[in-house]
């Protein structure tokens, strides 16, 4: 069961437009209404057409726990403290979850900066649900690089 309340935005971060472009590429026209997008069979998603810089979309998630999937397949979780104009994210109390066939390893990273050009997806974590999951018992194939 996924422990994410919402996906904040999708790759590519530097792109301006609808946050649902990746979920449904047919919904990439800034003039598309939510009803038109939904009629194309899109899964539920946020439908906000904006020309704000991507970091503006993250402001409401500062001081929230987020999960970041990087282009090279890493999963970094921590408290979002801030971001800059280059999409670099400052994460406090960061950990990396490494999924393997023998279980999930958690690596403490501490205060961590994730380069904006290496971010694929950022999602807010439901911390209550996340706390109920025993990740040590979860085995999975390692996450493959998302961009090759």
């Amino acid at each position: 069961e996924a422990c994410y309340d919402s996906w904040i935005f999708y790759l590519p971060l530097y792109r301006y437009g609808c946050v649902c472009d990746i979920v449904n590429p047919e919904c990439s026209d800034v003039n598309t209404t939510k009803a038109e997008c939904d009629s194309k069979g899109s899964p539920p998603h946020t439908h906000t057409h904006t020309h704000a810089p991507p970091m503006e979309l993250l402001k409401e998630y500062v001081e929230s726990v987020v999960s970041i999937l990087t282009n090279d397949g890493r999963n970094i979780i921590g408290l979002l403290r801030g971001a800059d104009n280059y999409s670099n994210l400052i994460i406090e109390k960061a950990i990396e979850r490494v999924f393997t066939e023998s279980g999930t390893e958690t690596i403490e990273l501490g205060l961590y900066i994730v380069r904006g050009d290496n971010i694929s997806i950022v999602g807010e974590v439901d911390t209550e649900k996340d706390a109920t999951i025993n990740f040590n018992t979860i085995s999975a194939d390692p996450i493959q690089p998302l961009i090759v």
Side-chain angles (χ1 to χ4, degrees):
E1 187 175 349
C3 55
Y4 304 101
D5 277 342
S6 61
W7 289 107
I8 298 169
F9 55 87
Y10 300 90
L11 172 76
L13 283 176
Y14 52 82
R15 182 175 183 204
Y16 302 139
C18 179
V19 296
C20 60
D21 289 349
I22 303 303
V23 175
N24 185 354
E26 295 177 18
C27 180
S28 60
D29 181 1
V30 295
N31 298 313
T32 303
T33 66
K34 182 176 182 345
E36 291 170 331
C37 183
D38 291 344
S39 72
K40 295 177 182 175
S42 294
H45 61 278
T46 303
H47 195 276
T48 306
H49 290 295
T50 179
H51 290 282
M55 293 305 100
E56 290 293 316
L57 299 172
L58 279 176
K59 277 187 177 180
E60 66 184 276
Y61 298 99
V62 171
E63 304 302 322
S64 297
V65 176
V66 295
S67 176
I68 302 165
L69 295 179
T70 63
N71 295 340
D72 56 1
R74 297 174 66 197
N75 183 12
I76 299 169
I77 297 109
L79 185 65
L80 179 62
R81 285 297 189 178
D84 66 13
N85 291 336
Y86 298 101
S87 304
N88 300 314
L89 302 182
I90 302 167
I91 308 297
E92 186 176 300
K93 299 178 185 169
I95 62 166
E96 180 179 358
R97 286 197 183 128
V98 181
F99 296 94
T100 67
E101 294 175 3
S102 59
T104 304
E105 180 183 356
T106 301
I107 302 169
E108 300 284 333
L109 302 173
L111 186 61
Y112 202 74
I113 296 177
V114 183
R115 285 183 50 124
D117 61 357
N118 192 32
I119 297 172
S120 287
I121 300 174
V122 177
E124 183 178 21
V125 175
D126 179 337
T127 54
E128 290 177 12
K129 193 178 288 185
D130 190 68
T132 65
I133 299 170
N134 183 357
F135 284 98
N136 294 328
T137 63
I138 296 176
S139 60
D141 291 333
I143 299 173
Q144 298 299 312
L146 302 173
I147 304 265
V148 284

